[in-house]
PDB file of all heavy atoms in Angstrom:
ATOM      1  N   PHE A 697      27.597  34.837 -15.026  1.00  0.00           N
ATOM      2  CA  PHE A 697      28.004  33.517 -14.548  1.00  0.00           C
ATOM      3  C   PHE A 697      27.471  33.347 -13.130  1.00  0.00           C
ATOM      4  O   PHE A 697      27.471  34.301 -12.350  1.00  0.00           O
ATOM      5  CB  PHE A 697      29.527  33.390 -14.542  1.00  0.00           C
ATOM      6  CG  PHE A 697      30.153  33.200 -15.887  1.00  0.00           C
ATOM      7  CD1 PHE A 697      30.405  34.298 -16.700  1.00  0.00           C
ATOM      8  CD2 PHE A 697      30.487  31.941 -16.347  1.00  0.00           C
ATOM      9  CE1 PHE A 697      30.996  34.147 -17.946  1.00  0.00           C
ATOM     10  CE2 PHE A 697      31.083  31.770 -17.589  1.00  0.00           C
ATOM     11  CZ  PHE A 697      31.339  32.872 -18.391  1.00  0.00           C
ATOM     12  N   PRO A 698      27.009  32.096 -12.767  1.00  0.00           N
ATOM     13  CA  PRO A 698      26.851  30.940 -13.633  1.00  0.00           C
ATOM     14  C   PRO A 698      25.666  31.113 -14.556  1.00  0.00           C
ATOM     15  O   PRO A 698      24.843  32.016 -14.358  1.00  0.00           O
ATOM     16  CB  PRO A 698      26.611  29.794 -12.642  1.00  0.00           C
ATOM     17  CG  PRO A 698      25.924  30.445 -11.488  1.00  0.00           C
ATOM     18  CD  PRO A 698      26.537  31.826 -11.393  1.00  0.00           C
ATOM     19  N   ARG A 699      25.572  30.240 -15.541  1.00  0.00           N
ATOM     20  CA  ARG A 699      24.448  30.310 -16.465  1.00  0.00           C
ATOM     21  C   ARG A 699      23.162  30.131 -15.688  1.00  0.00           C
ATOM     22  O   ARG A 699      23.069  29.313 -14.774  1.00  0.00           O
ATOM     23  CB  ARG A 699      24.559  29.228 -17.539  1.00  0.00           C
ATOM     24  CG  ARG A 699      25.850  29.318 -18.334  1.00  0.00           C
ATOM     25  CD  ARG A 699      25.944  30.628 -19.085  1.00  0.00           C
ATOM     26  NE  ARG A 699      27.114  30.653 -19.962  1.00  0.00           N
ATOM     27  CZ  ARG A 699      27.442  31.680 -20.730  1.00  0.00           C
ATOM     28  NH1 ARG A 699      26.717  32.782 -20.693  1.00  0.00           N
ATOM     29  NH2 ARG A 699      28.497  31.629 -21.513  1.00  0.00           N
ATOM     30  N   GLU A 700      22.151  30.909 -16.059  1.00  0.00           N
ATOM     31  CA  GLU A 700      20.890  30.894 -15.319  1.00  0.00           C
ATOM     32  C   GLU A 700      20.134  29.594 -15.547  1.00  0.00           C
ATOM     33  O   GLU A 700      20.069  29.076 -16.657  1.00  0.00           O
ATOM     34  CB  GLU A 700      20.024  32.079 -15.748  1.00  0.00           C
ATOM     35  CG  GLU A 700      20.670  33.410 -15.469  1.00  0.00           C
ATOM     36  CD  GLU A 700      19.946  34.553 -16.131  1.00  0.00           C
ATOM     37  OE1 GLU A 700      18.940  34.298 -16.800  1.00  0.00           O
ATOM     38  OE2 GLU A 700      20.401  35.689 -15.987  1.00  0.00           O
ATOM     39  N   GLU A 701      19.571  29.048 -14.462  1.00  0.00           N
ATOM     40  CA  GLU A 701      18.769  27.838 -14.563  1.00  0.00           C
ATOM     41  C   GLU A 701      17.366  28.182 -15.019  1.00  0.00           C
ATOM     42  O   GLU A 701      16.801  29.195 -14.651  1.00  0.00           O
ATOM     43  CB  GLU A 701      18.709  27.124 -13.206  1.00  0.00           C
ATOM     44  CG  GLU A 701      20.072  26.591 -12.772  1.00  0.00           C
ATOM     45  CD  GLU A 701      19.995  25.891 -11.443  1.00  0.00           C
ATOM     46  OE1 GLU A 701      18.947  26.031 -10.769  1.00  0.00           O
ATOM     47  OE2 GLU A 701      20.957  25.206 -11.072  1.00  0.00           O
ATOM     48  N   GLY A 702      16.796  27.297 -15.787  1.00  0.00           N
ATOM     49  CA  GLY A 702      15.474  27.540 -16.340  1.00  0.00           C
ATOM     50  C   GLY A 702      14.351  27.196 -15.399  1.00  0.00           C
ATOM     51  O   GLY A 702      14.534  26.640 -14.315  1.00  0.00           O
ATOM     52  N   LEU A 703      13.136  27.492 -15.829  1.00  0.00           N
ATOM     53  CA  LEU A 703      11.939  27.248 -15.026  1.00  0.00           C
ATOM     54  C   LEU A 703      11.700  25.763 -14.816  1.00  0.00           C
ATOM     55  O   LEU A 703      11.221  25.343 -13.764  1.00  0.00           O
ATOM     56  CB  LEU A 703      10.738  27.892 -15.718  1.00  0.00           C
ATOM     57  CG  LEU A 703       9.385  27.776 -15.008  1.00  0.00           C
ATOM     58  CD1 LEU A 703       9.450  28.433 -13.655  1.00  0.00           C
ATOM     59  CD2 LEU A 703       8.280  28.374 -15.847  1.00  0.00           C
ATOM     60  N   VAL A 704      12.044  24.949 -15.821  1.00  0.00           N
ATOM     61  CA  VAL A 704      11.777  23.518 -15.712  1.00  0.00           C
ATOM     62  C   VAL A 704      12.537  22.921 -14.531  1.00  0.00           C
ATOM     63  O   VAL A 704      11.983  22.193 -13.710  1.00  0.00           O
ATOM     64  CB  VAL A 704      12.168  22.796 -17.022  1.00  0.00           C
ATOM     65  CG1 VAL A 704      12.051  21.291 -16.846  1.00  0.00           C
ATOM     66  CG2 VAL A 704      11.270  23.264 -18.158  1.00  0.00           C
ATOM     67  N   LYS A 705      13.830  23.257 -14.415  1.00  0.00           N
ATOM     68  CA  LYS A 705      14.613  22.722 -13.303  1.00  0.00           C
ATOM     69  C   LYS A 705      14.109  23.239 -11.969  1.00  0.00           C
ATOM     70  O   LYS A 705      14.065  22.513 -10.978  1.00  0.00           O
ATOM     71  CB  LYS A 705      16.089  23.082 -13.462  1.00  0.00           C
ATOM     72  CG  LYS A 705      16.964  22.453 -12.359  1.00  0.00           C
ATOM     73  CD  LYS A 705      18.417  22.772 -12.555  1.00  0.00           C
ATOM     74  CE  LYS A 705      19.269  21.985 -11.555  1.00  0.00           C
ATOM     75  NZ  LYS A 705      18.859  22.192 -10.162  1.00  0.00           N
ATOM     76  N   PHE A 706      13.707  24.509 -11.934  1.00  0.00           N
ATOM     77  CA  PHE A 706      13.164  25.062 -10.690  1.00  0.00           C
ATOM     78  C   PHE A 706      11.929  24.291 -10.243  1.00  0.00           C
ATOM     79  O   PHE A 706      11.794  23.906  -9.086  1.00  0.00           O
ATOM     80  CB  PHE A 706      12.825  26.538 -10.878  1.00  0.00           C
ATOM     81  CG  PHE A 706      11.962  27.103  -9.782  1.00  0.00           C
ATOM     82  CD1 PHE A 706      12.475  27.306  -8.519  1.00  0.00           C
ATOM     83  CD2 PHE A 706      10.625  27.409 -10.018  1.00  0.00           C
ATOM     84  CE1 PHE A 706      11.684  27.814  -7.508  1.00  0.00           C
ATOM     85  CE2 PHE A 706       9.839  27.912  -9.009  1.00  0.00           C
ATOM     86  CZ  PHE A 706      10.367  28.108  -7.758  1.00  0.00           C
ATOM     87  N   LEU A 707      10.992  24.032 -11.189  1.00  0.00           N
ATOM     88  CA  LEU A 707       9.773  23.303 -10.855  1.00  0.00           C
ATOM     89  C   LEU A 707      10.092  21.876 -10.419  1.00  0.00           C
ATOM     90  O   LEU A 707       9.507  21.359  -9.466  1.00  0.00           O
ATOM     91  CB  LEU A 707       8.824  23.299 -12.060  1.00  0.00           C
ATOM     92  CG  LEU A 707       8.212  24.655 -12.413  1.00  0.00           C
ATOM     93  CD1 LEU A 707       7.461  24.559 -13.741  1.00  0.00           C
ATOM     94  CD2 LEU A 707       7.262  25.113 -11.322  1.00  0.00           C
ATOM     95  N   TYR A 708      11.042  21.251 -11.108  1.00  0.00           N
ATOM     96  CA  TYR A 708      11.429  19.891 -10.734  1.00  0.00           C
ATOM     97  C   TYR A 708      11.980  19.859  -9.316  1.00  0.00           C
ATOM     98  O   TYR A 708      11.613  18.996  -8.506  1.00  0.00           O
ATOM     99  CB  TYR A 708      12.464  19.361 -11.721  1.00  0.00           C
ATOM    100  CG  TYR A 708      13.004  17.996 -11.342  1.00  0.00           C
ATOM    101  CD1 TYR A 708      12.273  16.842 -11.612  1.00  0.00           C
ATOM    102  CD2 TYR A 708      14.226  17.880 -10.689  1.00  0.00           C
ATOM    103  CE1 TYR A 708      12.756  15.596 -11.250  1.00  0.00           C
ATOM    104  CE2 TYR A 708      14.717  16.638 -10.316  1.00  0.00           C
ATOM    105  CZ  TYR A 708      13.977  15.501 -10.610  1.00  0.00           C
ATOM    106  OH  TYR A 708      14.460  14.281 -10.239  1.00  0.00           O
ATOM    107  N   ASP A 709      12.854  20.794  -8.992  1.00  0.00           N
ATOM    108  CA  ASP A 709      13.439  20.849  -7.654  1.00  0.00           C
ATOM    109  C   ASP A 709      12.375  21.105  -6.598  1.00  0.00           C
ATOM    110  O   ASP A 709      12.419  20.537  -5.502  1.00  0.00           O
ATOM    111  CB  ASP A 709      14.518  21.928  -7.583  1.00  0.00           C
ATOM    112  CG  ASP A 709      15.769  21.544  -8.361  1.00  0.00           C
ATOM    113  OD1 ASP A 709      15.918  20.349  -8.673  1.00  0.00           O
ATOM    114  OD2 ASP A 709      16.583  22.443  -8.654  1.00  0.00           O
ATOM    115  N   ARG A 710      11.419  21.965  -6.920  1.00  0.00           N
ATOM    116  CA  ARG A 710      10.350  22.263  -5.959  1.00  0.00           C
ATOM    117  C   ARG A 710       9.531  21.022  -5.658  1.00  0.00           C
ATOM    118  O   ARG A 710       9.237  20.698  -4.508  1.00  0.00           O
ATOM    119  CB  ARG A 710       9.428  23.355  -6.506  1.00  0.00           C
ATOM    120  CG  ARG A 710       9.971  24.756  -6.400  1.00  0.00           C
ATOM    121  CD  ARG A 710      10.097  25.239  -4.964  1.00  0.00           C
ATOM    122  NE  ARG A 710       8.831  25.243  -4.282  1.00  0.00           N
ATOM    123  CZ  ARG A 710       7.995  26.276  -4.266  1.00  0.00           C
ATOM    124  NH1 ARG A 710       8.318  27.379  -4.882  1.00  0.00           N
ATOM    125  NH2 ARG A 710       6.862  26.209  -3.616  1.00  0.00           N
ATOM    126  N   LEU A 711       9.149  20.284  -6.715  1.00  0.00           N
ATOM    127  CA  LEU A 711       8.251  19.147  -6.553  1.00  0.00           C
ATOM    128  C   LEU A 711       8.951  17.918  -5.986  1.00  0.00           C
ATOM    129  O   LEU A 711       8.311  17.059  -5.388  1.00  0.00           O
ATOM    130  CB  LEU A 711       7.597  18.806  -7.902  1.00  0.00           C
ATOM    131  CG  LEU A 711       6.612  19.874  -8.406  1.00  0.00           C
ATOM    132  CD1 LEU A 711       6.212  19.583  -9.840  1.00  0.00           C
ATOM    133  CD2 LEU A 711       5.369  19.917  -7.528  1.00  0.00           C
ATOM    134  N   THR A 712      10.250  17.836  -6.173  1.00  0.00           N
ATOM    135  CA  THR A 712      10.983  16.682  -5.657  1.00  0.00           C
ATOM    136  C   THR A 712      11.639  16.964  -4.319  1.00  0.00           C
ATOM    137  O   THR A 712      12.334  16.117  -3.775  1.00  0.00           O
ATOM    138  CB  THR A 712      12.073  16.240  -6.655  1.00  0.00           C
ATOM    139  OG1 THR A 712      12.946  17.339  -6.919  1.00  0.00           O
ATOM    140  CG2 THR A 712      11.440  15.759  -7.950  1.00  0.00           C
ATOM    141  N   GLY A 713      11.446  18.189  -3.805  1.00  0.00           N
ATOM    142  CA  GLY A 713      11.988  18.523  -2.491  1.00  0.00           C
ATOM    143  C   GLY A 713      13.462  18.803  -2.493  1.00  0.00           C
ATOM    144  O   GLY A 713      14.094  18.858  -1.446  1.00  0.00           O
TER     145      GLY A 713
END
Side-chain angles (χ1 to χ4, degrees):
F697 285 83
R699 302 298 186 180
E700 299 169 0
E701 294 180 348
L703 182 60
V704 173
K705 184 178 187 305
F706 166 71
L707 291 172
Y708 175 80
D709 289 343
R710 282 293 300 270
L711 292 170
T712 57

